[in-house]
Amino acid sequence: DLLSKIPDQFGFKTVLVELLYNPKLPDTSIVMEHGLSIISGAAEVATAFSLIWIFSVYLLADGTRAFQWFSVFFSAPTRLQLSSTAEDTSAVIAAYAAGQFITSLGSGIFCYLVLRLTHVPGALTLATLAAIFDVVPIIGFFIALTPAALLAYSVSPTTGLIVILLY
């Protein structure tokens, strides 16, 4: 037996035996399984965001040509309807994008002022994060608030509470 050959200096052997034979220790396969599922889920989310970003940039850069290619598959009257609808919706989408940019910019500026006045480290980075995630409905707020609140609590609990309330 290998354990019998280990000297019990400084209680090392006792601790080792307890670790090896303790039935209360967690099963590492369960931990690994959950860890791998979390990593897999994060990879899926990152892939989805990357593909959305790539397609968005492509359609912004070459959207007219892509639309012309797509409309070829429809009859002439349907192509006219598609073209008319595309013109009407592009104005609405442009207005929405401009409004979203203004809202995100305002959110970023406000967050920067709050963080700067409360002396939270990394105010510009956190405010930029808040402006970027302002675009994501509901969950974007929490994604931006979490690091800001944690860094604010590193300054003081009062600062953390102020940042949470003003964000």
Side-chain angles (χ1 to χ4, degrees), residues 93-115:
I93 291 171
Y96 171 79
Q100 187 63 55
F101 175 77
I102 292 168
T103 315
S104 294
L105 184 64
S107 171
I109 290 170
F110 179 76
C111 290
Y112 176 75
L113 291 174
V114 167
L115 295 168

Side-chain angles (χ1 to χ4, degrees), residues 129-160:
L129 190 70
I132 291 169
F133 281 106
D134 185 60
V135 175
V136 181
I138 301 169
I139 195 168
F141 165 75
F142 294 105
I143 293 171
L145 175 65
T146 302
L150 290 173
L151 280 173
Y153 272 109
S154 74
V155 174
S156 76
T158 307
T159 304

Side-chain angles (χ1 to χ4, degrees), residues 2-66:
L2 184 63
L3 285 175
S4 63
K5 296 179 182 178
I6 297 175
D8 195 17
Q9 291 178 333
F10 310 110
F12 177 73
K13 182 177 179 179
T14 308
V15 172
L16 186 61
V17 168
E18 189 176 322
L19 284 173
L20 290 174
Y21 296 111
N22 188 352
K24 295 179 182 178
L25 290 176
D27 185 12
T28 56
S29 65
I30 295 171
V31 174
M32 288 300 293
E33 181 181 318
H34 289 295
L36 289 175
S37 67
I38 289 171
I39 291 170
S40 173
E44 286 179 26
V45 168
T47 302
F49 275 116
S50 299
L51 287 174
I52 289 170
W53 178 254
I54 290 168
F55 283 128
S56 298
V57 169
Y58 168 73
L59 289 175
L60 283 172
D62 207 16
T64 306
R65 201 167 72 169

